[in-house]
């Protein structure tokens, strides 16, 4: 919130993206990866309506010789509400530069369906408030089921947030949810611990 109120959010955001690009390169050099590691970077509403955002991101990708398809950007509905015309232009620019767009915390805003109709979003992230209760609350389960069905019918993928119990995972698999995130898989990790976590799935490169 402090960075949002002061003129720090844009340079801070670009620094975060550069750090993400650098970290992915480190993992690629250390691990034998048979499919890409994708990193999602959150963008605030103030960043998203800044006209220099997409060009700044493109400059980072070019100067780092990074594959832009490895980096997705996560936005909430508030980013659309601030300035719909600018938001749509940003989305189109990011998409043209081969980035994926995730709508974060889906289901907690007011105009979700109209945004899905007008904006080129690739993936919906179902808010954890629905996921955590779906195995004991029929309404939450119905919402999760409906969002997954809606997203798939629109050609989108789905990430379920807040998976903390195996009951959550089993139910989401039954519902054909594409991806999940939550403490059941891992707590938030720093780069070194995240690298160790990735070793469960990829081999370490042999030193030359």
């Amino acid at each position: 919130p402090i960075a949002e109120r002061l003129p720090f959010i844009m340079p801070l955001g670009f620094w975060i993206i550069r750090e993400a690009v650098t970290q992915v390169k480190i993992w690629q050099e250390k691990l034998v990866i048979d499919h890409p590691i994708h990193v999602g970077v959150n963008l605030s509403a103030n960043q998203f309506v800044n006209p220099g955002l997409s060009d700044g991101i493109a400059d980072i990708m070019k100067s780092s010789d990074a594959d832009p398809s490895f980096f997705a950007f996560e936005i909430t509905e508030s980013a659309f509400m601030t300035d719909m015309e600018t938001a749509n232009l940003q989305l189109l620019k990011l998409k043209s530069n081969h980035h994926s767009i995730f709508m974060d915390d889906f289901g907690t805003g007011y105009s979700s369906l109209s945004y899905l109709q007008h904006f080129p979003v690739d993936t919906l992230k179902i808010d954890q408030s629905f996921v955590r209760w779906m195995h004991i609350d029929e309404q939450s389960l119905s919402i999760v089921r409906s969002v997954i069905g809606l997203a798939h019918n629109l050609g989108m993928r789905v990430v379920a947030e807040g998976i903390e119990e195996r009951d959550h995972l089993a139910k989401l698999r039954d519902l054909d949810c594409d991806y999940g995130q939550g403490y059941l898989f891992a707590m938030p990790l720093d780069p070194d611990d995240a690298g160790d976590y990735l070793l469960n799935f990829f081999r370490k490169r042999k030193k030359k």
Side-chain angles (χ1 to χ4, degrees), residues 121-123 148-158 178:
V121 174
D122 299 288
T123 302
I148 293 172
L150 172 67
H152 288 170
N153 287 333
L154 293 174
M156 301 175 183
R157 293 163 300 194
V158 184
D178 300 290

Side-chain angles (χ1 to χ4, degrees), residues 102-116:
F102 286 53
M103 183 179 284
D104 201 9
D105 301 334
F106 183 77
T108 58
Y110 297 102
S111 304
S112 303
L113 296 181
S114 66
Y115 293 144
L116 294 185

Side-chain angles (χ1 to χ4, degrees), residues 128-179:
Q128 61 184 351
S129 61
F130 303 115
V131 174
R132 285 178 175 172
W133 289 96
M134 67 180 184
H135 61 304
I136 55 177
D137 175 49
E138 187 62 33
Q139 287 185 327
S140 294
L141 176 60
S142 296
I143 289 172
V144 172
R145 180 187 294 113
S146 298
V147 171
I148 293 172
L150 172 67
H152 288 170
N153 287 333
L154 293 174
M156 301 175 183
R157 293 163 300 194
V158 184
V159 177
E161 300 179 300
I163 301 176
E164 298 182 353
E165 301 179 21
R166 295 202 174 273
D167 287 345
H168 295 158
L169 182 60
K171 181 60 69 176
L172 289 164
R173 282 174 169 161
D174 289 341
L175 297 174
D176 293 326
C177 186
D178 300 290
Y179 302 102

